[in-house]
Amino acid sequence: MQLGNKHIGDGYPCFIIAEVGQNHQGDPYHAVRLIQMASACGVDAVKLQARNCLEEFSKERLRQPYQHRNSFGRTYLEHRRALDLNGFQFQHIKKRHAYNKNPAELFCTVCAPGWVPWLEENNWCQFYKIASKDMHNLSLIKEVASTGKPVILSTGMAKNDREIEKAFAAANYSEQVALMYCVSIYPCP
C-alpha cells in the first residue's frame, strides 16, 4: 500500500505518524510549529483532525456545561469551536508546510463527512484516517473511501471482530485500506 510517496507493508520500513490531532489548541500557528518539530524528527507523516462539532454531536451534548482544567469554553459547543480548525486555517497550515519544505506528508482524521468535499477540492490529503470512535459510522467511512484514496481504519474501540469486518467492508470503496490497532485508553496503563 502506498501512503503519499512511501510504501507500507512487509519489506518496507516502519511508517511513523506524528499525531498533532487537536494539540494545536485551535491555533494554526501552533499547528505549524508542531508540524515543523515532527518533521525535524524525521516522521513520515503528520496527522491533524478535520472536525465539525455540529455534524458530530447532538444539540443536547453541545449545550452541556464543559468546565474542567482543559476546557476552552463554558459549554461543549464553545469548547469544540475553540479547538476545531476551519478551511482558511487548514489552507494556511498547508501553505506554510509547503513553504517550509517539510518532507512529512500531511493528512487528516476525518470526523465529519462535510469535510471530505472540501479536503478533496483543495487536494489537502493524499490519504485519510478514520478514528476508532467512528468505526461504527459506516456512512462516514464510505464517504471517505469514495475518494479512492488510501484509508487507514483505526480499530481500537471495536468490541469484536464483526465490528471490524463491517467497517472494513464499508472502507473497501477504496482499493487501499490499512487496519490499525490502537490503544483507546488514555492515558495508557
Side-chain angles (χ1 to χ4, degrees):
M1 177 173 177
Q2 187 166 336
L3 298 178
N5 62 0
K6 299 216 174 162
H7 287 85
I8 65 168
D10 290 340
Y12 293 100
C14 183
F15 189 82
I16 300 172
I17 299 170
E19 170 68 51
V20 170
Q22 300 210 302
N23 292 312
H24 50 67
Q25 300 177 342
D27 181 348
Y29 299 99
H30 192 60
V32 168
R33 288 190 299 274
L34 289 169
I35 292 165
Q36 288 172 325
M37 285 187 274
S39 292
C41 290
V43 301
D44 296 299
V46 179
K47 186 177 75 61
L48 293 126
Q49 294 178 355
R51 302 194 69 162
N52 180 332
C53 61
L54 299 177
E55 284 187 66
E56 293 179 59
F57 303 101
S58 69
K59 289 179 183 178
E60 179 183 327
R61 172 71 176 114
L62 293 172
R63 283 192 292 258
Q64 289 178 344
Y66 196 73
Q67 298 175 6
H68 59 73
R69 65 185 179 100
N70 295 321
S71 177
F72 285 82
R74 292 174 293 134
T75 64
Y76 197 61
L77 175 62
E78 289 176 9
H79 172 75
R80 292 284 356 138
R81 282 203 166 142
L83 291 175
D84 295 347
L85 298 173
N86 62 37
F88 177 78
Q89 292 167 320
F90 267 100
Q91 284 295 63
H92 170 77
I93 291 166
K94 185 81 167 191
K95 285 177 186 171
R96 294 300 305 170
H97 185 71
Y99 177 80
N100 293 327
K101 296 183 171 83
N102 288 329
E105 293 279 342
L106 289 180
F107 75 109
C108 288
T109 294
V110 180
C111 300
W115 269 105
V116 175
W118 187 92
L119 291 165
E120 284 297 292
E121 287 169 21
N122 290 282
N123 198 29
W124 213 91
C125 297
Q126 297 306 307
F127 51 97
Y128 294 97
K129 181 174 176 283
I130 300 292
S132 67
K133 76 173 186 66
D134 286 320
M135 68 170 297
H136 301 98
N137 188 343
L138 302 182
S139 61
L140 173 65
I141 296 170
K142 287 177 183 176
E143 178 75 20
V144 170
S146 73
T147 66
K149 292 181 178 173
V151 176
I152 300 168
L153 180 61
S154 192
T155 64
M157 295 183 89
K159 294 181 184 91
N160 55 50
D161 289 348
R162 183 68 188 128
E163 289 181 356
I164 295 170
E165 290 167 3
K166 283 182 178 180
F168 184 75
N172 268 328
Y173 281 85
S174 170
E175 292 183 16
Q176 299 187 77
V177 181
L179 292 178
M180 180 172 72
Y181 177 76
C182 64
V183 175
S184 297
I185 302 169
Y186 304 101
C188 295

